[in-house]
Amino acid sequence: MATTKLWGGRFTAKAAEWVDEFGASIHFDQQMAAEDLEGSIAHAKMLGQQSIIASNESEQIVAGLKALQQDLIAGKLTFDVKNEDIHMNMESLLTEKIGAVAGKLHTARSRNDQVATDFHLWVKHRLPHVLDVITDLQQELLTLATRHAGTIMSGYTHLQHAQPITYGHYLLAYFDMFQRDYDRFEFNQLHTDILPLGAAALAGTTFPIDREFVADELGFGDIYHNSLDAVSDRDFALEFLSNAAILMMHLSRMAEELILWSTYEFNYIELSDDFSTGSSIMPQKKNADFAELVRGKTGRTYGALMALLTTMKSLPLAYNKDMQEDKEQVFDVMDTVIASIKIFTGMLNGLKVHEERMLASTQDDFSNATELADYLATKGVPFREAHAIVGQLVLQGLQTHTPLQKTPLATLQAAAPQIEDDIYHVLQSETAVNRRTSIGGTAVENVKKEIARHEKELEAR
Ligand code: ARG
């Protein structure tokens, strides 16, 4: 007889312990213990209310589950791998507490809709926290951008000096990227906020259950309207992983710039001591370990997304044991993404910005070449021709180590007679920045307006 298993009735032989262990999920799905109890309490109440079980039985079960909630908080629950997963562990703990009546809890329910419900609840409980830490990061970006709305630095394309921008403008680019992340996680809530419980194994149930009641109890905004979809769907988890992967990609890009810009060669910024580490051999070292670690953790986040996409690929509908592989990825990525965002907020908070170095990077680098070409274009020279003229002047300047703004007027006029004395004002990086008032441009007045707009958005959140 092998009836020690909750499902053991039709079995005669027992699996070896190591085989059981392979099939078990309790070592990780115990993370959903609170959600499992929450879901069971709602289900038990509903069973009583619908007279599917007697009301005193429902009350006993609910009281037992509430006692387990206390035990869980007190750290007094111990789980056994023999009970496979969190659902059967909880049922067995409940049986220890209240006896055979515990066996009525699983009426009109299957582990298939139960696990889906727990998982939905687990993600649903945590998404608001993700949104909060993104908001904190965005607020930090605004604070820094306010301080540096007028801090001029080199803008890059291909990692080559391109045109001057402000550091504030750069920071707001990330603000907007994280805004899209915020929007995606907010939307993620919509697909998470759907109750699977009541689908039972796959086909619904013959018992007169009240799914709306359970949804209300658990705070779900909607219920699955197809029992097969309810137990098959892991889109909400995939959406979470995909959103996290994109967010981590954003963080990794900023991490890369933090690391690069704090090198001796760039020296644009310095990370605070509390977000840097030293070397065990080289006393002078100050390494951007935390930025590097976030950049590195982007890898495991992508891995998690690929893993679950691949697990779900080609799965026939309804529950398959493959789906037990869904949770660890999501648990891990939830921790990773929240911690990484918080690390970034802390890093930006203590960041030292070397404004004079940033400005200096725009002084002898020909990043004002477009200004001269635009200048000629406004004087009627076709842009293509202007481009070629300035290209020649840049070449000369490179050979004589003379930036455009230090090139004598006579030399400039020899290349293009349209050039007048006002060009020296135009060629200043500050002028270059402040004339870029087109919508979305880097001008200081634009940056300040954008900051004000974003401050309002955050206040309204
Ligand atoms: N431990 C399982 C999981 O995490 C729970 C659902 C099991 N259902 C089943 N029919 N075997 O996916």
Side-chain angles (χ1 to χ4, degrees):
M1 283 288 282
T3 39
T4 42
K5 289 271 191 321
L6 283 176
W7 41 252
R10 57 103 68 215
F11 286 76
T12 48
K14 267 189 182 175
E17 218 168 284
W18 67 272
V19 175
D20 274 350
E21 260 169 47
F22 183 80
S25 53
I26 187 60
H27 48 292
F28 56 84
D29 68 13
Q30 55 182 276
Q31 276 211 51
M32 304 194 305
E35 285 77 14
D36 195 71
L37 289 169
E38 206 185 331
S40 287
I41 289 173
H43 183 68
K45 281 187 187 168
M46 183 279 291
L47 291 177
Q49 187 171 285
Q50 296 298 104
S51 304
I52 297 169
I53 62 176
S55 58
N56 72 312
E57 291 169 336
S58 160
E59 279 157 23
Q60 277 181 70
I61 293 171
V62 170
L65 291 167
K66 286 192 171 162
L68 288 177
Q69 280 181 324
Q70 295 308 318
D71 293 350
L72 178 68
I73 292 164
K76 284 198 284 200
L77 292 187
T78 46
F79 304 116
D80 190 339
V81 72
K82 284 197 204 76
N83 288 321
E84 198 175 314
D85 60 20
I86 187 62
H87 323 294
M88 294 197 293
N89 267 277
M90 280 301 182
E91 191 175 324
S92 129
L93 288 166
L94 184 67
T95 308
E96 276 170 33
K97 244 195 209 326
I98 64 171
V101 65
K104 297 211 168 186
L105 172 60
H106 213 53
T107 315
R109 182 175 83 167
S110 152
R111 270 188 300 154
N112 300 348
D113 57 343
Q114 187 181 358
V115 69
T117 300
D118 291 5
F119 199 22
H120 273 266
L121 274 176
W122 192 94
V123 176
K124 176 178 153 69
H125 286 159
R126 284 155 184 81
L127 283 176
H129 190 43
V130 176
L131 294 176
D132 285 347
V133 292
I134 295 177
T135 299
D136 291 345
L137 174 59
Q138 287 184 298
Q139 188 57 62
E140 200 57 57
L141 284 166
L142 286 191
T143 305
L144 204 54
T146 305
R147 215 176 297 145
H148 295 289
T151 302
I152 290 168
M153 65 175 290
S154 181
Y156 298 84
T157 63
H158 310 268
L159 216 49
Q160 302 280 344
H161 284 211
Q163 292 172 348
I165 58 169
T166 69
Y167 187 49
H169 191 59
Y170 162 88
L171 293 166
L172 291 189
Y174 278 101
F175 181 98
D176 287 355
M177 291 151 79
F178 294 126
Q179 182 56 46
R180 290 192 294 275
D181 291 318
Y182 186 94
D183 295 343
R184 274 185 285 269
F185 282 113
E186 201 172 42
F187 185 77
N188 200 171
Q189 291 186 310
L190 203 69
H191 286 168
T192 308
D193 198 19
I194 311 174
L195 173 74
L197 206 65
L202 76 162
T205 174
T206 55
F207 291 100
I209 57 171
D210 184 347
R211 297 188 63 204
E212 260 98 19
F213 171 87
V214 178
D216 281 350
E217 281 288 302
L218 296 175
F220 278 103
D222 201 357
I223 58 176
Y224 279 89
H225 287 275
N226 182 297
S227 60
L228 264 182
D229 184 36
V231 290
S232 308
D233 176 35
R234 293 295 183 271
D235 290 0
F236 67 102
L238 286 166
E239 285 175 5
F240 169 72
L241 294 176
S242 156
N243 297 340
I246 296 173
L247 180 134
M248 290 300 288
M249 176 271 288
H250 290 158
L251 287 182
S252 78
R253 296 178 76 169
M254 197 176 202
E256 174 71 13
E257 286 162 335
L258 286 172
I259 295 159
L260 191 65
W261 294 0
S262 52
T263 55
Y264 180 83
E265 287 75 11
F266 273 85
N267 197 22
Y268 285 173
I269 53 169
E270 189 179 336
L271 290 164
S272 62
D273 285 0
D274 49 348
F275 284 95
S276 309
T277 54
S279 154
S280 57
I281 172 168
M282 298 164 282
Q284 86 286 7
K285 290 279 272 178
K286 185 168 176 185
N287 297 329
D289 272 27
F290 295 95
E292 290 172 17
L293 201 49
V294 170
R295 189 177 58 181
K297 283 179 187 292
T298 308
R300 70 196 283 155
T301 311
Y302 291 2
L305 173 61
M306 284 308 130
L308 188 55
L309 278 172
T310 312
T311 294
M312 295 307 294
K313 177 186 175 292
S314 316
L315 274 194
L317 287 197
Y319 183 80
N320 301 271
K321 185 76 167 181
D322 314 45
M323 290 159 89
Q324 184 165 289
E325 287 291 305
D326 58 0
K327 285 169 281 295
E328 282 165 290
Q329 311 291 347
V330 171
F331 294 167
D332 180 70
V333 168
M334 187 64 79
D335 288 345
T336 301
V337 95
I338 289 172
S340 299
I341 296 169
K342 284 165 87 174
I343 286 287
F344 255 73
T345 307
M347 266 193 311
L348 293 179
N349 183 271
L351 194 70
K352 204 192 276 168
V353 178
H354 298 156
E355 299 169 32
E356 63 308 325
R357 276 283 311 154
M358 285 186 169
L359 181 64
S361 74
T362 68
Q363 297 305 298
D364 53 5
D365 65 339
F366 299 95
S367 64
N368 51 6
T370 315
E371 308 315 303
L372 183 49
D374 284 354
Y375 176 92
L376 289 173
T378 53
K379 301 226 168 191
V381 182
F383 186 79
R384 242 338 115 222
E385 220 172 283
H387 188 287
I389 293 167
V390 180
Q392 282 295 314
L393 284 168
V394 168
L395 191 60
Q396 279 177 42
L398 283 170
Q399 282 156 356
T400 59
H401 303 290
T402 317
L404 291 174
Q405 70 275 21
K406 294 212 177 111
T407 304
L409 191 58
T411 312
L412 295 175
Q413 285 174 337
Q418 296 87 341
I419 300 176
E420 291 171 73
D421 198 35
D422 60 347
I423 190 62
Y424 294 106
H425 175 68
V426 170
L427 288 175
Q428 283 172 24
S429 48
E430 198 185 340
T431 314
V433 161
N434 280 319
R435 290 182 64 214
R436 281 181 166 66
T437 52
S438 54
I439 294 175
T442 188
V444 175
E445 62 176 277
N446 278 15
V447 171
K448 286 185 174 160
K449 266 190 225 148
E450 279 292 279
I451 292 171
R453 188 169 73 88
H454 291 324
E455 288 284 9
K456 281 212 194 84
E457 287 165 359
L458 292 193
E459 270 164 37
R461 217 171 253 179

Short mmCIF file of all heavy atoms in Angstrom, two decimals, residues 23 25 28-29 32 84-87 110-112 115 234 319-321 323-327, ligand 1:
data_model
loop_
_atom_site.label_atom_id
_atom_site.label_comp_id
_atom_site.label_asym_id
_atom_site.label_seq_id
_atom_site.Cartn_x
_atom_site.Cartn_y
_atom_site.Cartn_z
N GLY A 23 10.71 15.04 -8.00
CA GLY A 23 9.38 15.54 -8.34
C GLY A 23 8.88 16.65 -7.43
O GLY A 23 7.94 17.37 -7.77
N SER A 25 8.54 20.09 -5.12
CA SER A 25 8.80 21.52 -5.33
C SER A 25 8.81 22.29 -4.01
O SER A 25 8.98 23.50 -4.00
CB SER A 25 7.74 22.12 -6.27
OG SER A 25 6.44 21.83 -5.78
N PHE A 28 11.24 25.15 -2.99
CA PHE A 28 11.10 26.53 -3.47
C PHE A 28 9.67 27.07 -3.36
O PHE A 28 9.47 28.24 -3.10
CB PHE A 28 11.65 26.71 -4.89
CG PHE A 28 11.05 25.80 -5.93
CD1 PHE A 28 9.85 26.13 -6.54
CD2 PHE A 28 11.69 24.63 -6.31
CE1 PHE A 28 9.30 25.30 -7.52
CE2 PHE A 28 11.14 23.79 -7.28
CZ PHE A 28 9.94 24.13 -7.88
N ASP A 29 8.66 26.19 -3.53
CA ASP A 29 7.31 26.77 -3.54
C ASP A 29 6.80 27.10 -2.13
O ASP A 29 5.72 27.68 -1.98
CB ASP A 29 6.31 25.96 -4.38
CG ASP A 29 5.97 24.59 -3.81
OD1 ASP A 29 6.31 24.33 -2.65
OD2 ASP A 29 5.35 23.80 -4.56
N MET A 32 5.50 30.45 -1.41
CA MET A 32 4.11 30.84 -1.63
C MET A 32 3.22 30.38 -0.47
O MET A 32 2.00 30.31 -0.62
CB MET A 32 3.56 30.23 -2.93
CG MET A 32 4.37 30.57 -4.17
SD MET A 32 3.49 30.18 -5.70
CE MET A 32 3.11 28.45 -5.46
N GLU A 84 5.72 16.59 -1.04
CA GLU A 84 5.90 17.10 -2.40
C GLU A 84 5.90 18.61 -2.57
O GLU A 84 6.90 19.19 -2.97
CB GLU A 84 4.82 16.49 -3.32
CG GLU A 84 5.14 16.58 -4.79
CD GLU A 84 4.09 15.85 -5.64
OE1 GLU A 84 3.72 14.70 -5.32
OE2 GLU A 84 3.66 16.45 -6.65
N ASP A 85 4.76 19.24 -2.33
CA ASP A 85 4.71 20.68 -2.62
C ASP A 85 4.01 21.44 -1.49
O ASP A 85 3.56 20.84 -0.51
CB ASP A 85 4.07 20.95 -3.99
CG ASP A 85 2.63 20.43 -4.09
OD1 ASP A 85 1.99 20.21 -3.04
OD2 ASP A 85 2.17 20.23 -5.24
N ILE A 86 3.92 22.74 -1.64
CA ILE A 86 3.37 23.57 -0.57
C ILE A 86 1.88 23.25 -0.33
O ILE A 86 1.40 23.28 0.80
CB ILE A 86 3.57 25.08 -0.88
CG1 ILE A 86 3.15 25.96 0.31
CG2 ILE A 86 2.80 25.53 -2.12
CD1 ILE A 86 3.94 25.74 1.57
N HIS A 87 1.19 22.86 -1.39
CA HIS A 87 -0.25 22.62 -1.26
C HIS A 87 -0.51 21.39 -0.39
O HIS A 87 -1.34 21.43 0.51
CB HIS A 87 -0.87 22.44 -2.66
CG HIS A 87 -0.24 23.34 -3.68
ND1 HIS A 87 -0.37 24.70 -3.60
CD2 HIS A 87 0.55 23.08 -4.75
CE1 HIS A 87 0.32 25.24 -4.60
NE2 HIS A 87 0.89 24.29 -5.32
N SER A 110 -8.64 21.69 -7.34
CA SER A 110 -7.55 20.82 -7.77
C SER A 110 -6.26 21.56 -7.46
O SER A 110 -6.27 22.78 -7.30
CB SER A 110 -7.68 20.57 -9.28
OG SER A 110 -6.42 20.33 -9.85
N ARG A 111 -5.16 20.83 -7.40
CA ARG A 111 -3.89 21.56 -7.23
C ARG A 111 -3.59 22.42 -8.46
O ARG A 111 -2.81 23.35 -8.40
CB ARG A 111 -2.75 20.58 -6.98
CG ARG A 111 -2.53 20.30 -5.50
CD ARG A 111 -1.28 19.49 -5.31
NE ARG A 111 -1.35 18.22 -6.02
CZ ARG A 111 -0.30 17.54 -6.46
NH1 ARG A 111 0.93 18.00 -6.28
NH2 ARG A 111 -0.44 16.39 -7.08
N ASN A 112 -4.25 22.06 -9.57
CA ASN A 112 -3.96 22.81 -10.80
C ASN A 112 -4.46 24.25 -10.74
O ASN A 112 -3.76 25.18 -11.11
CB ASN A 112 -4.57 22.09 -12.01
CG ASN A 112 -4.01 20.70 -12.18
OD1 ASN A 112 -3.02 20.34 -11.54
ND2 ASN A 112 -4.64 19.89 -13.02
N VAL A 115 -2.45 25.95 -7.58
CA VAL A 115 -1.09 26.47 -7.79
C VAL A 115 -1.14 27.73 -8.65
O VAL A 115 -0.40 28.70 -8.41
CB VAL A 115 -0.15 25.40 -8.40
CG1 VAL A 115 -0.51 25.05 -9.83
CG2 VAL A 115 1.31 25.86 -8.32
N ARG A 234 0.31 30.96 -18.22
CA ARG A 234 1.41 31.54 -17.44
C ARG A 234 1.87 32.85 -18.09
O ARG A 234 3.00 33.31 -17.83
CB ARG A 234 2.59 30.56 -17.33
CG ARG A 234 2.29 29.29 -16.52
CD ARG A 234 2.01 29.57 -15.05
NE ARG A 234 1.80 28.35 -14.28
CZ ARG A 234 0.62 27.76 -14.10
NH1 ARG A 234 -0.48 28.28 -14.65
NH2 ARG A 234 0.52 26.65 -13.38
N TYR A 319 -2.88 21.45 -17.12
CA TYR A 319 -1.65 21.34 -16.35
C TYR A 319 -0.76 20.22 -16.86
O TYR A 319 -1.20 19.12 -17.19
CB TYR A 319 -1.97 21.10 -14.87
CG TYR A 319 -0.71 21.05 -14.03
CD1 TYR A 319 -0.09 22.23 -13.64
CD2 TYR A 319 -0.12 19.84 -13.69
CE1 TYR A 319 1.09 22.21 -12.92
CE2 TYR A 319 1.06 19.80 -12.96
CZ TYR A 319 1.66 20.99 -12.58
OH TYR A 319 2.82 20.97 -11.86
N ASN A 320 0.52 20.54 -16.97
CA ASN A 320 1.57 19.54 -17.19
C ASN A 320 2.64 19.81 -16.14
O ASN A 320 2.89 20.96 -15.79
CB ASN A 320 2.21 19.70 -18.58
CG ASN A 320 1.18 19.57 -19.69
OD1 ASN A 320 0.90 18.50 -20.18
ND2 ASN A 320 0.58 20.69 -20.09
N LYS A 321 3.28 18.78 -15.69
CA LYS A 321 4.25 18.93 -14.61
C LYS A 321 5.40 19.87 -15.00
O LYS A 321 6.05 20.46 -14.15
CB LYS A 321 4.78 17.56 -14.19
CG LYS A 321 5.71 17.57 -12.99
CD LYS A 321 5.00 17.75 -11.64
CE LYS A 321 5.95 17.42 -10.49
NZ LYS A 321 5.30 17.57 -9.17
N MET A 323 5.19 22.64 -15.84
CA MET A 323 4.87 23.98 -15.36
C MET A 323 5.36 24.23 -13.93
O MET A 323 5.39 25.38 -13.48
CB MET A 323 3.35 24.21 -15.46
CG MET A 323 2.91 24.33 -16.92
SD MET A 323 1.18 23.99 -17.15
CE MET A 323 0.51 25.63 -16.90
N GLN A 324 5.78 23.19 -13.26
CA GLN A 324 6.38 23.38 -11.94
C GLN A 324 7.68 24.18 -12.05
O GLN A 324 8.15 24.75 -11.08
CB GLN A 324 6.64 22.01 -11.29
CG GLN A 324 7.16 22.08 -9.88
CD GLN A 324 7.05 20.73 -9.17
OE1 GLN A 324 5.97 20.29 -8.83
NE2 GLN A 324 8.19 20.07 -8.97
N GLU A 325 8.23 24.21 -13.26
CA GLU A 325 9.47 24.95 -13.51
C GLU A 325 9.24 26.46 -13.63
O GLU A 325 10.18 27.21 -13.89
CB GLU A 325 10.13 24.44 -14.81
CG GLU A 325 10.77 23.08 -14.67
CD GLU A 325 12.01 23.11 -13.77
OE1 GLU A 325 12.92 23.89 -14.03
OE2 GLU A 325 12.04 22.34 -12.79
N ASP A 326 8.00 26.90 -13.48
CA ASP A 326 7.71 28.32 -13.72
C ASP A 326 8.14 29.23 -12.56
O ASP A 326 8.47 30.38 -12.77
CB ASP A 326 6.20 28.52 -14.00
CG ASP A 326 5.29 28.02 -12.86
OD1 ASP A 326 5.81 27.53 -11.85
OD2 ASP A 326 4.06 28.13 -13.02
N LYS A 327 8.14 28.69 -11.34
CA LYS A 327 8.20 29.57 -10.18
C LYS A 327 9.60 30.07 -9.82
O LYS A 327 9.78 31.26 -9.53
CB LYS A 327 7.58 28.86 -8.96
CG LYS A 327 6.06 28.83 -9.06
CD LYS A 327 5.42 27.93 -8.04
CE LYS A 327 5.46 26.46 -8.42
NZ LYS A 327 4.67 26.13 -9.64
N1 ARG B 1 3.81 21.44 -7.40
C1 ARG B 1 3.00 21.66 -8.55
C2 ARG B 1 3.53 22.86 -9.31
O1 ARG B 1 4.26 23.62 -8.75
C3 ARG B 1 1.59 21.91 -8.14
C4 ARG B 1 0.56 21.42 -9.10
C5 ARG B 1 0.61 19.99 -9.23
N2 ARG B 1 -0.51 19.47 -9.96
C6 ARG B 1 -0.49 18.24 -10.43
N3 ARG B 1 -1.52 17.83 -11.05
N4 ARG B 1 0.57 17.49 -10.30
O2 ARG B 1 3.25 23.03 -10.47
#
